[in-house]
Amino acid sequence: YPLERAEIATIYDETRLLSRLVVDLRELAQAEAGQLKLRLGPVDVAALLAQTVDSFALLAQDSQISLELDAPSGLPPALADPDRLAQVLRNLLANALRHAASGGHVQVRARPEAGGLRISVIDDGPGIPAADLPHVFDRFWRGDRARSRDGGGSGLGLAITRRLVEAQGGVIGVESQNGRGTEFWFTLGVGEGK
């Protein structure tokens, strides 16, 4: 049958979604098997945070969301893979902007903490119900059951994020109150690396 332009566009979009799902699954499998290649070394966290926040500034502005970076000067370098750290930040920031209401606020914060760094992405969105909190890092889990895969991703982003943080020797967590916003945070060690 001859295809119309709209049908071709739909097939193309579905192919892109499936391709992204395959990439996500492969990356998650590698992380879970401890086979991710990491380039651990000292990373200027303040600079990486500023660059990442800047790359989301237009999206935040278009969504009428205030986006703020709170990172004091003189932060020690994190012992991390800069590309994987940027991936973690992009995922957490994209999620925060997706869940913040129009006119809302998202903050990215970094602080020294007990021999390491704690980095947080905080939104003032609807929050996560307490019963859902233990599942947010599970693969394919979705808090909003009505959300479609087209607009909400594959349900693998936070599972991959957790594995990337853990592969770099960090810990990740979430704090939220239903109706009062959410804070996703993770820790990384500091140092010069090898």
Side-chain angles (χ1 to χ4, degrees), residues 8-188:
I8 292 170
T10 299
I11 291 170
Y12 175 73
D13 288 343
E14 289 299 317
T15 303
R16 282 185 33 231
L17 286 172
L18 285 173
S19 176
R20 180 65 197 173
L21 180 61
V22 168
V23 168
D24 286 350
L25 284 169
R26 181 174 183 272
E27 190 167 71
L28 183 58
Q30 285 180 321
E32 288 176 341
Q35 296 178 347
L36 267 182
K37 292 186 171 134
L38 296 174
R39 295 179 303 118
L40 293 177
V43 176
D44 182 346
V45 173
L48 185 63
L49 290 174
Q51 180 181 13
T52 306
V53 167
D54 188 51
S55 71
F56 280 88
L58 247 120
L59 177 62
Q61 183 179 354
D62 289 347
S63 301
Q64 299 177 351
I65 296 170
S66 164
L67 179 56
E68 173 192 4
L69 174 60
D70 178 11
S73 60
L75 283 173
L79 184 57
D81 178 311
D83 295 331
R84 297 301 186 176
L85 178 54
Q87 183 179 354
V88 166
L89 291 168
R90 284 192 306 269
N91 187 55
L92 294 177
L93 198 45
N95 284 349
L97 289 170
R98 185 180 306 122
H99 293 288
S102 180
H105 182 77
V106 172
Q107 181 184 65
V108 178
R109 180 187 303 157
R111 296 283 186 270
E113 177 182 275
L117 292 173
R118 178 178 167 132
I119 300 167
S120 300
V121 178
I122 306 160
D123 70 63
D124 62 357
I128 301 170
D132 290 346
L133 284 173
H135 305 288
V136 296
F137 295 107
D138 293 349
R139 61 172 75 187
F140 300 116
W141 183 83
R142 297 162 138 330
D144 181 357
R145 313 299 189 266
R147 202 174 69 183
S148 73
R149 298 241 182 253
D150 295 340
S154 64
L156 293 172
L158 288 173
I160 292 170
T161 297
R162 177 183 71 188
R163 293 298 183 176
L164 290 176
V165 169
E166 290 171 350
Q168 295 176 86
V171 176
I172 190 166
V174 59
E175 297 169 17
S176 186
Q177 290 184 340
N178 201 17
R180 302 194 66 193
T182 302
E183 175 181 357
F184 279 92
W185 58 267
F186 62 96
T187 61
L188 291 172

